Amino acid sequence: MTALFNDDEDAEILAAAREGFMEEAVELLAQFEQALLTMEQDPADSEAVNSAFRAAHTIKGTAGIFGFDAVVKFTHEVESVLDATRSGDLSLNEAAIALLLASRDQMEHLLDDLGPGEPDPALAEHSATLGDQLRALRQAPGGATAVAPATPSAKAAADTVNELAVWHLSLRMGIDALRNGLDPMSFIRYLDTVGEVRGIRTVDELVPALEGLDPESCSLGFEIRLATGADRQAIEQVFEFLRDDCDLQILAPDAPSEAYEQLLTARCTDTASRDALLAHWQVLAGPNEKPFIERREEAEPDRRNNEPERRAGKTDRRAAGGEDTRFIRVRADKLDQLIDLIGELVIAGSGAQLVAQTEQSPRFAEAALRIHDLVQAARDGALGLRMVPIGETFSRFNRVVRDVSKQLGKEVELQITGGDTELDKSMVETIADPLMHLVRNSLDHGLETPEQRLSAGKSAQGHLALHAYHESGAVVIEVSDDGRGLNRDRIFAKAVERSLISADAQLADEEIYQLIFAPGFSTADQVTNLSGRGVGMDVVKRNIESLRGQIGIASQPGRGATMQIRLPLTLAIIDGFLTNVGGVSYVMPLELVAECLAVPPECVAQPDQVTGYFDLRGEVLPYLDLGRFYRHEPTIQAGRRSLVLVRDGQHRVGLVVDRLLGEHQTVIKPLGQVFQHIRGLAGSTILGSGEVALILDIPALLDQATRQTVPGHHAPATGLTR
Amino acid sequence: MGTSPLALGGEWTIAQAAALHEQLRDALATGQLHWDLGAVTECDSAGVQLLLAARRSAQAQGAPLVIDPASPAVRSSLQRYGLDHLLTA
């Protein structure tokens, strides 16, 4: 019984760890891909090679822990190629990068295949094929001798900065290093990129005779003289992966013989091994260099000088190790619970402030205000935990653009800006698919082939840009291209053909462009395997609207098109502006409120009119009377009414309300099923007094206000559809 | 016995280390101390370590281990480790 329980528990822990690995693997594959794409552009980028190597290495290592042999075996081949590349034994051409990209996909498929059930035999076969190709790459006669351009230039750069000096490295491998897939040889080869190995002695005193040898254990040690202009940190970095599987001591070029003395004591337990190591050093020092260890008397005063050096080395190590712990993984639902809790705190805080106001106690009010400020800070902090930069999502399009443009025979350069713009993690996940569709749409329909571009007087290479930024409380994401732009007339004709509009409809360009988001709409004459199947654009719009966002289109024939997605910063809590209409509280997002005015005379001229236009300092703007729109009893409209000017991107609209109640922190609660079909409402919230307030969906209202004033458009006179 | 060198080709890597270990022990047990490593395609640290262990065993038997010929893979790995002398021994 107990055993069974333990098994269950183990299985649970293992399953959780496995899940963690899968998540990590996805990130690592992304890192790998990114590095390859960088290498494709600039083969001399040694940082990219390292990054790809590290990613492959970590995937292999972790897969090994879980016993995913198929992944380990295949990734090993990938890693070997990158290892040869980073040590300068192999340079990668375009075909090699393509092979590595294909290998990345294979790694992903292998990881996907790990679930229960039999592994896919076709997949294993593909692994073998790619594995052979990778091995062939590594053993190709040209490749083996070619020196990657990264190596000499990096070394030269290091040399010019610093004088060459000879460091001493003493390395003892951990017994499990080989078993863990860490071959010291690749690290020693990699030393070539930092400096020149002037001498190396393999310490084999601990290697037993064959009879006593465990062939998978490692008993090797190395004493290395390295001439380099690099610093200690750079040398340590070479052995970064080995950190847990080796004991590395680095002695600076000016290390006194006392330091060597200490090393000797640390390394050797008996006189025999002491003599052996001294002999190694003798050989390394050669006849011209002075021996590492001199007479003790001379060395003594240097002891203290050497201390800081050693210590500095240690802190470096810890700092490097600290990088791993800078991030912690937190379950998303824990975070959601925290945000919920803070939401309740916000409501309770508003309640306290309300009490303070009614009690008319200045000290209480002051205390409540202080709490309010802190709650606000805590709210921002908690929401910040969920915020992630969009750059990661953007960067995966590098591969998409590369692959798709090759497939279509187009030349496309992807430009990414604003990648550090942050938005809610859940939104990042939801937005990835619509973005993918928009990017593919641009590649497929927007951008022309090089010949078409040249004959249109444009550069052969098309440009696709992903751009993100914050604007008035929203995150804006733009996908733009310099292709042929949207064909207004063709969209119009298609929409008439699909009876989405009548043939005599008068529509602005923007409205016509929006038609491509209608369900079942597609203008592609030929259905390709990428897009143009008529599904997608409506789904794109639905996805974006489910995030309380909108999508807009700007297009110039022959010059290109821009799809602009606007998303709210967060889904949970907003700074609201509280108003009262007909005794009901309405909240609008504070960021969207531009100004508050007394109701202009135009809005009261006709008592039954829901919408119309008014004059704001010479500018004509639409207005919407919320009391009439939601059919509140006009009798309660006592006292001075106000007009709240709200803006949404480029557009502005005035909303007529009964009373202004001021700022309010608003925790967004979803509307119940019954109310979901009411227009212009984004959700509800609970006020400090316990009353329910309704959150206005400003973009939808703006749409209503402008649409209802367009003549000839069949819009219902009321916001309620029942 | 011992007239023609024993051919030990293939991969001298961690993946093959266990199998290779068996083979080398058999060779030593039968006194085969002249090895032909001309067909070795790959040689990593596990391979080098096997050679070092084999040399130690041979020394215990009072006979030198002769490696001739050696493939470029073996040669480059031994060079990398400053163990070229294993080849001429």
Side-chain angles (χ1 to χ4, degrees), chain A residues 138-139 178 183-185 188-189 192 200 202 204-205 207-211 213-220 222, chain B residues 14 17-18 21 24-25 28 42-46 48-50 52-57 76-77 80-83:
Chain A
R138 204 150 38 96
Q139 287 157 1
L178 294 174
D183 189 328
M185 194 171 318
I188 289 168
R189 275 211 190 102
D192 288 353
I200 178 166
T202 299
D204 65 347
E205 272 72 29
V207 177
L210 269 183
E211 301 78 54
L213 178 76
D214 176 348
E216 290 177 357
S217 290
C218 190
S219 312
L220 297 171
F222 305 94
Chain B
I14 181 73
H21 186 221
L24 300 189
R25 285 180 67 169
L28 273 153
E42 223 175 314
C43 178
D44 67 3
S45 295
V48 171
Q49 190 173 254
L50 277 168
L52 288 169
R55 183 179 65 156
R56 200 171 287 270
S57 296
S76 102
S77 290
R80 203 23 103 163
Y81 277 167
L83 292 169

Side-chain angles (χ1 to χ4, degrees), chain A residues 103-130:
Chain A
S103 302
R104 188 221 84 108
D105 297 344
Q106 178 68 3
M107 276 148 73
E108 189 175 13
H109 295 147
L110 287 170
L111 287 164
D112 287 344
D113 195 41
L114 286 177
E118 283 298 300
D120 185 352
L123 206 55
E125 206 170 291
H126 194 49
S127 274
T129 319
L130 280 175

Side-chain angles (χ1 to χ4, degrees), chain A residues 489-503:
Chain A
D489 298 336
R490 216 166 98 200
I491 295 169
F492 191 88
K494 195 84 166 186
V496 172
E497 184 192 312
R498 299 270 155 107
S499 21
L500 294 167
I501 50 169
S502 60

Side-chain angles (χ1 to χ4, degrees), chain A residues 337-663:
Chain A
Q337 271 173 19
L338 177 69
I339 287 169
D340 274 356
L341 203 61
I342 287 182
E344 297 300 324
L345 197 58
V346 167
I347 293 172
S350 305
Q353 263 191 312
L354 205 69
V355 175
Q357 267 165 28
T358 44
E359 298 277 305
Q360 297 199 322
S361 152
R363 287 179 61 194
F364 185 12
E366 201 178 308
L369 192 67
R370 173 92 183 113
I371 290 169
H372 170 86
D373 289 348
L374 288 173
V375 168
Q376 201 157 17
R379 177 202 72 170
D380 291 345
L383 289 176
L385 294 177
R386 291 188 54 94
M387 302 293 260
V388 291
I390 196 164
E392 283 166 38
T393 310
F394 276 0
S395 58
R396 71 171 85 154
F397 288 106
N398 280 316
R399 175 79 186 277
V400 175
V401 170
R402 175 191 175 276
D403 288 358
V404 174
S405 57
K406 272 196 181 162
Q407 202 176 329
L408 295 171
K410 295 179 180 176
E411 287 174 36
V412 181
E413 186 196 29
L414 176 66
Q415 194 186 17
I416 292 176
T417 45
D420 52 357
T421 308
E422 291 193 326
L423 74 166
D424 196 282
K425 178 139 175 53
S426 62
M427 282 204 259
V428 167
E429 282 155 14
T430 319
I431 206 67
D433 284 346
L435 271 183
M436 178 71 80
H437 207 89
L438 293 177
V439 166
R440 293 200 151 192
N441 200 61
S442 267
L443 288 170
D444 206 32
H445 305 313
L447 291 162
E448 314 92 327
T449 59
E451 302 79 51
Q452 287 169 333
R453 289 185 65 89
L454 287 172
S455 65
K458 294 196 255 189
S459 61
Q461 191 182 46
H463 296 87
L464 183 70
L466 287 170
H467 182 43
Y469 56 97
H470 282 175
E471 189 188 80
S472 58
V475 179
V476 181
I477 302 167
E478 289 176 350
V479 181
S480 48
D481 63 60
D482 64 349
R484 52 173 79 98
L486 272 70
N487 189 330
R488 184 187 177 283
D489 298 336
R490 216 166 98 200
I491 295 169
F492 191 88
K494 195 84 166 186
V496 172
E497 184 192 312
R498 299 270 155 107
S499 21
L500 294 167
I501 50 169
S502 60
D504 56 350
Q506 298 288 314
L507 296 173
D509 286 359
E510 160 80 356
E511 285 172 298
I512 293 175
Y513 297 149
Q514 285 284 340
L515 290 170
I516 66 169
F517 295 117
F521 186 93
S522 172
T523 58
D525 296 329
Q526 265 186 328
V527 170
T528 71
N529 62 338
L530 294 172
S531 50
R533 280 161 299 188
V535 294
M537 286 310 248
D538 56 325
V539 179
V540 167
K541 188 171 170 122
R542 260 212 313 281
N543 275 337
I544 291 167
E545 282 178 344
S546 75
L547 297 172
R548 296 198 288 117
Q550 309 132 258
I551 180 161
I553 302 176
S555 174
Q556 275 187 299
R559 304 272 299 271
T562 298
M563 306 275 175
Q564 189 188 60
I565 302 173
R566 299 183 73 88
L567 295 170
L569 270 182
T570 169
L571 298 171
I573 306 173
I574 55 167
D575 276 319
F577 186 70
L578 192 60
T579 62
N580 191 295
V581 181
V584 176
S585 299
Y586 288 93
V587 179
M588 39 196 101
L590 187 65
E591 312 92 43
L592 302 184
V593 175
E595 59 183 305
C596 301
L597 321 157
V599 176
E602 299 94 306
C603 304
V604 284
Q606 279 195 302
D608 294 329
Q609 197 164 335
V610 179
T611 62
Y613 289 97
F614 71 101
D615 172 44
L616 177 77
R617 297 182 289 267
E619 203 178 339
V620 177
L621 294 173
Y623 75 86
L624 183 118
D625 190 319
L626 282 179
R628 293 171 193 154
F629 184 71
Y630 286 119
R631 286 188 172 166
H632 286 298
E633 288 298 318
T635 48
I636 318 169
Q637 295 173 0
R640 209 168 56 120
R641 302 180 74 209
S642 300
L643 180 136
V644 182
L645 189 70
V646 291
R647 57 153 190 260
D648 176 53
Q650 307 303 313
H651 307 283
R652 284 182 295 173
V653 65
L655 299 175
V656 181
V657 298
D658 291 352
R659 281 177 64 201
L660 304 176
L661 299 173
E663 279 180 52

